[in-house]
Amino acid sequence: MTIDAIVIGSGIGGLVTATQLAAKGAKVLVLERYSIPGGSAGYFERQGYRFDVGASMIFGLGQKGTTNLLTRALSAVNVSQEAIADPVQIHYHLPQGLDLKVDRVYEKFLQNLTAHFRHEERGIRRFYDECQKVFNCLNNIDLLSLEEPRYLLRVFFQHPLACLGLVKYLPQNAGDIAKRYIKDPQLLKFIDMECYCWSVVPADMTPMINAGMVFSDRHYGGVNYPKGGVGQIAQKLVEGLEKAGGEIQYQARVTKILTEQGRAVGVQLANGKVYRGKRIVSNATRWDTFQQLLPAEEIPHNEKNWQQNYQKSPSFLSLHMGVKQSVLPEGTECHHILLEDWEKMMAVEGTIFVSIPTLLDPDLAPSGYHIIHAFTPHWIDDWQGLSQTEYEAKKEKAAWRIIDRLEQIFPGLDAGLDYLEVGTPRTHRRFLGREDGTYGPIPRRKLRGLLKMPFNRTAIPGLYCVGDSTFPGQGLNAVAFSGFACAHRIAVDLGF
């Protein structure tokens, strides 16, 4: 059979590309190095617990509008995923006693925030209302490839005001707009944290388009947890892919993208097997794509430019814990962020992110127990060159530092611990195949919004990239957008 598109990797971006193409009748083959799909949105099981690999704060599973991209991706291949609404997006535990819940109801969130900053009531509303404007523009249009001129023309004629609104915000960052309305330095720090918790950079370096999407969708489609765990989203997409005639192979590690006369024509696996296809899609990071899968000395000029603008974000130290139910006080929320010192927000082990998915779906743990997934930024360099004994000792020491800090929110956590597994940046690199275990690209310096972010096509004809190192960046809904865009561009290129 002639393969129309070969997709390297089954992260959510790769699977959305594959399912969208399969739904249009293209012959698609997905090659996944691991034994299950999902990448950072995968799962693993231990002693009756089902742990999410990454975070469990999921956007895009709503039921209305056009920004519910995960729901739309699933329905395109006739599958669906039951989701549980999360009433509070994040419970922040921040310096200077800033203890705040981001309620699903917009007005309630604004009230909660204003209670801490009465003097900034007007500025708070104006900033978050401006985020709503960005979201309303996005939520009015069908989100497909911005590299396809006919699509852009059609969308512009259908929704001229929404398009002009988005064009205006493309070169802007959230921090610039926040400073227009807000003066209080602690409140601006809070907005930095609002951005940092998903973009890994402060507001000054976070594109306004992304901020508008995240800060508004949590009050519109909301944060929803997939019943059965985050891994279910990838499992369902694979089910839909196969129903639509596509194929996925596991433990199929691509080691080389094959080119002929400068054009991508196929891939080679670690076992030497070769597959040829009309289009090749890499769901690997751009560093892995252009420095590992292609000859590093032939890296295209525009990729070198991209690497001058963007760098690898840190990876994470992850604690996957099973704990007794008694550890969690009555009324505990699913997601928490803990930071004791504003100056350490971006430091290693500065900010701790916490997910407790069993508060929404108790079936993920044995009866009477909960899952706590805590993670904090770490660089791979700190974990290199250690003997196995040194590595294990360092992991244990780091884990107990985190657990001691979490006792502030969950007294008795240490005593109630039933299971603990620690992952380092090395673990992320090994299982996710991401260079240095990175979470994704972050700007090296302040850039003009999203204008420098690359789209799906690359300088190598026939080769496309999808995932968090393409427009619009990190997060499950963002990589789903990238998958829709990539599939749309390929479908046009192939004449589907």
Side-chain angles (χ1 to χ4, degrees):
M1 104 178 166
T2 307
I3 303 172
D4 292 310
I6 296 171
V7 180
I8 304 164
S10 68
I12 296 300
L15 286 177
V16 171
T17 305
T19 47
Q20 285 287 303
L21 285 169
K24 292 176 169 73
K27 292 288 174 219
V28 183
L29 171 64
V30 179
L31 299 167
E32 169 54 52
R33 60 186 281 150
Y34 194 44
S35 51
I36 59 165
S40 307
Y43 71 96
F44 63 97
E45 291 178 309
R46 299 282 189 277
Q47 296 180 17
Y49 294 98
R50 176 177 278 205
F51 293 109
D52 296 323
V53 168
S56 52
M57 192 163 64
I58 308 300
F59 293 88
L61 279 175
Q63 294 304 320
K64 53 184 183 171
T66 63
T67 58
N68 55 345
L69 295 170
L70 295 172
T71 301
R72 291 173 60 210
L74 292 160
S75 68
V77 281
N78 301 310
V79 288
S80 62
Q81 171 61 50
E82 188 188 337
I84 304 149
D86 190 350
V88 166
Q89 186 214 5
I90 295 179
H91 184 172
Y92 285 112
H93 311 263
L94 299 174
Q96 295 157 281
L98 184 48
D99 189 281
L100 174 77
K101 295 182 182 184
V102 178
D103 199 279
R104 194 177 180 111
V105 178
Y106 182 55
E107 287 301 325
K108 208 166 169 189
F109 160 62
L110 293 187
Q111 280 168 23
N112 291 350
L113 186 54
T114 302
H116 289 273
F117 301 98
R118 292 269 174 223
H119 56 292
E120 287 281 18
E121 182 171 3
R122 187 159 175 260
I124 288 169
R125 181 168 289 281
R126 288 179 74 187
F127 171 68
Y128 284 101
D129 278 359
E130 188 134 359
C131 292
Q132 297 270 343
K133 279 185 201 164
V134 175
F135 178 75
N136 292 336
C137 292
L138 286 164
N139 202 27
N140 262 323
I141 60 181
D142 203 14
L143 301 174
L144 293 170
S145 177
L146 303 184
E147 295 181 281
E148 213 282 278
R150 282 173 302 178
Y151 157 75
L152 290 177
L153 210 58
R154 185 181 80 239
V155 166
F156 183 76
F157 281 119
Q158 286 170 342
H159 307 282
L161 294 177
C163 290
L164 290 170
L166 289 176
V167 167
K168 173 184 144 187
Y169 288 111
L170 263 177
Q172 300 194 63
N173 290 322
D176 301 324
I177 290 175
K179 284 174 189 153
R180 214 176 281 164
Y181 302 127
I182 291 165
K183 296 291 173 276
D184 186 297
Q186 195 195 1
L187 179 52
L188 289 169
K189 288 278 189 204
F190 171 74
I191 290 168
D192 278 337
M193 177 58 90
E194 281 260 83
C195 292
Y196 179 74
C197 71
W198 50 270
S199 71
V200 212
V201 285
D204 270 356
M205 293 164 84
T206 299
M208 185 59 183
I209 298 251
N210 295 27
M213 180 86 161
V214 173
F215 295 163
S216 307
D217 194 26
R218 63 191 182 187
H219 307 294
Y220 180 80
V223 171
N224 301 283
Y225 188 75
K227 178 89 179 122
V230 173
Q232 287 297 303
I233 300 170
Q235 300 275 3
K236 288 284 176 69
L237 284 169
V238 167
E239 187 189 316
L241 173 69
E242 292 176 332
K243 271 189 197 171
E247 185 190 344
I248 184 165
Q249 287 183 21
Y250 297 106
Q251 293 177 318
R253 184 163 72 90
V254 174
T255 52
K256 197 185 281 185
I257 293 169
L258 304 174
T259 58
E260 287 173 7
Q261 294 164 331
R263 182 180 187 84
V265 294
V267 298
Q268 185 175 327
L269 304 188
N271 64 9
K273 194 167 173 65
V274 167
Y275 290 99
R276 293 176 70 87
K278 293 179 188 173
R279 296 292 186 274
I280 311 300
V281 181
S282 176
N283 192 191
T285 71
R286 290 186 102 89
W287 296 282
D288 290 287
T289 303
F290 289 99
Q291 285 161 214
Q292 308 295 334
L293 301 179
L294 287 157
E297 64 276 8
E298 291 174 28
I299 183 166
H301 184 65
N302 64 344
E303 288 303 318
K304 287 180 186 165
N305 286 347
W306 181 77
Q307 290 192 17
Q308 283 168 5
N309 287 322
Y310 289 88
Q311 62 187 341
K312 282 170 276 195
S313 71
S315 184
F316 288 101
L317 176 83
S318 288
L319 277 62
H320 289 94
M321 295 173 270
V323 303
K324 289 178 182 163
Q325 218 163 351
S326 56
V327 168
L328 302 182
E330 191 66 39
T332 300
E333 304 299 348
C334 179
H335 299 104
H336 300 257
I337 283 180
L338 173 64
L339 176 68
E340 298 89 346
D341 179 352
W342 285 123
E343 296 310 308
K344 293 184 178 167
M345 183 181 84
M346 294 177 68
V348 165
E349 288 185 27
T351 301
I352 301 177
F353 306 85
V354 180
S355 293
I356 314 171
T358 39
L359 289 167
L360 299 174
D361 186 356
D363 296 345
L364 301 171
S367 180
Y369 290 85
H370 278 292
I371 283 169
I372 297 181
H373 176 200
F375 49 107
T376 187
H378 257 258
W379 296 98
I380 200 162
D381 291 352
D382 297 334
W383 296 89
Q384 305 283 45
L386 303 171
S387 70
Q388 194 56 35
T389 313
E390 289 168 333
Y391 180 59
E392 292 303 330
K394 184 169 175 144
K395 279 206 303 191
E396 189 165 339
K397 217 169 166 183
W400 288 107
R401 281 198 302 272
I402 302 304
I403 289 168
D404 285 347
R405 286 170 63 194
L406 289 175
E407 289 259 352
Q408 296 172 51
I409 320 175
F410 312 121
L413 173 59
D414 180 353
L417 201 57
D418 173 58
Y419 180 84
L420 171 64
E421 185 151 338
V422 184
T424 72
R426 278 168 54 172
T427 321
H428 284 84
R429 180 180 63 187
R430 181 174 151 215
F431 286 105
L432 303 177
R434 295 174 68 88
E435 189 164 308
D436 296 345
T438 180
Y439 175 69
I442 54 174
R444 287 186 184 274
R445 60 187 178 279
K446 188 176 173 182
L447 299 173
R448 294 188 65 213
L450 274 176
L451 290 182
K452 296 279 185 186
M453 200 72 180
F455 293 118
N456 303 103
R457 283 191 294 189
T458 71
I460 297 169
L463 176 65
Y464 303 72
C465 282
V466 72
D468 57 21
S469 39
T470 60
F471 182 94
Q474 283 125 343
L476 248 57
N477 213 24
V479 297
F481 183 162
S482 143
F484 273 95
C486 190
H488 177 220
R489 183 62 259 180
I490 292 171
V492 170
D493 291 347
L494 290 175
F496 276 94

